[in-house]
Amino acid sequence: MTPAPDNDDALAAYLAGDPAAVRAAAPPEPTEAEWNSVRARAAARLPRRGRRWPTVAALVAAVALVAVGAALWPAQPGAPESANRPAPVPAPPHDPLAEFDVLPVVRAEEVVLYRVPGAGALPVGAPPLAGELVLATVDDVEFMAPHDLWPQTLTGAGDAPMLFAKSR
Amino acid sequence: MLAPLLLALPVWPVASCAREDKPVSVTVVVVLATAANAQVDPKLKELAKEVQKRDPKLTGFRIVAVESKSIPVGDSATIALADKQSLLVKINKQKDENGRITLELAPPQMEAISYACACDKFFPIVTPYKTKDGEHLIIAVMAKPCTGKK
C-alpha cells in the first residue's frame, strides 16, 4: 500500500526507495480464513472433471448399440435384404442308381450265405450246406471228458455217433 | 538265477502257436423231427436213418435253418436255433495231428459237452427240446478250418 499523499515524508521516502518506507507501505498478509475463501471461490469457478463421465459413457453406449444392431440386422427373419434375395433352388433328389446303365447282378460264386432259412432254393449264392449231411463215423469223433450222456452216443456197431438226449 | 528263464522257455512256443491259430468255420444245421409225417429232406437221409435207429417213431425230418460262422480258437459264438432256442459253440482247439477240431457245445436243456471231430463231418445231437407242435429239435454241427473265403 503506498503512503497517503498527505504524508509527504513517508511518500518521499517510499518514492526514494527507502526500504523501511517500502516495508512500512506493504499491505498486511491475508489471514488463513481469507485464503480459504479465495480458494473456495476459485474452485467453484473451475469446471468439474467428474461431470464428463456421463457424457462419455452415453457416447460409448450409443456406439455399441449401433455396432450390435448392424451385426444382427442381416440375421433378422424377413429382413429387407434377405427378402430381395432369390429363393434357393432345391437340390435334385439323389439317385443312388445314377451310375448304372444296367444293374449288375452278382454271380453265385461271389456270394457266401452264412445263414439260410430251411432248405429251400435261393436265387443266388452258395448255401452253407451244399449237399447231403455227411455224418462223422466212430473213427472221426473223440469225446473229451466223461459225461452222463456219452453212453447214449453209440447204439451198435456201424452206427454213427450221435448224442441222443431223452425228451423230458 | 536261471530258474525264471527256464520257466519262461516252454511258454514261448505255446504262445507262438496260439497266434498262428486261424479261425474255425462252424456250420450248424437246425433240424426238426416229427412223428406226424414221413417227409424227409433229401439232405437229411443219412441223419434220419441214424436217428430212427434210436427212435423209430421219428419219421419226418426237415431243415429249419443252416448257419455258418467263423469263430477264432478260444472264442465262442451263439447260434440261433428254432423256437428262440440257441446253441453256444466254443472252439477249444485248432485241428490236431489227427485232423480233429475240439469244440464245446451247450445245446438247449443240456449240459455243455466237449468233443473232437474230424473236419467236414457232422456230429448230430438230438436235444430234449420239443416245440409246442411236438417236433424234436436236432442239431448237426460241423467244423473245419477257415479257407479264407469267408
Side-chain angles (χ1 to χ4, degrees), chain A residues 114-116 118-119 129 132-136 139-142 144 147 149-150 153 159-160 163 165-168, chain B residues 41 43 50 53-54 63-68 80 100 109 113-118 121-122 124-126 128 136:
Chain A
Y114 290 111
R115 184 180 176 94
V116 291
L129 180 63
E132 188 179 341
L133 250 75
V134 179
L135 300 183
D139 297 332
D140 292 326
V141 180
E142 180 187 352
M144 290 295 107
H147 196 285
L149 291 167
W150 288 153
T153 55
D159 293 340
L163 199 53
K166 301 283 184 189
S167 296
R168 292 170 185 171
Chain B
D41 186 299
K43 290 180 179 175
E50 291 295 329
K53 286 180 184 176
R54 279 86 167 176
I63 295 176
V64 175
V66 182
E67 181 158 347
S68 185
R100 293 170 177 165
Q109 300 181 353
I113 50 173
S114 180
Y115 69 97
C117 186
K121 300 284 184 73
F122 282 90
I125 299 172
V126 180
H136 292 249

Side-chain angles (χ1 to χ4, degrees), chain B residues 29-74:
Chain B
V29 181
V30 185
V31 177
L32 285 178
T34 180
N37 63 59
Q39 294 169 359
V40 177
D41 186 299
K43 290 180 179 175
L44 302 177
K45 271 194 308 187
E46 191 68 20
L47 176 73
K49 193 176 81 181
E50 291 295 329
V51 172
Q52 283 167 346
K53 286 180 184 176
R54 279 86 167 176
D55 189 349
K57 284 185 280 185
L58 294 175
T59 50
F61 293 83
R62 67 184 176 99
I63 295 176
V64 175
V66 182
E67 181 158 347
S68 185
K69 255 187 182 168
S70 174
I71 307 171
V73 176

Side-chain angles (χ1 to χ4, degrees), chain A residues 80-124:
Chain A
E81 274 189 34
S82 61
N84 294 333
R85 287 180 194 158
V89 179
H94 173 64
D95 180 8
L97 304 179
E99 59 182 304
F100 302 111
D101 291 331
V102 177
L103 290 184
V105 178
V106 292
R107 290 168 295 175
E109 61 270 24
E110 291 174 327
V111 177
V112 177
L113 301 169
Y114 290 111
R115 184 180 176 94
V116 291
L122 293 157
V124 72

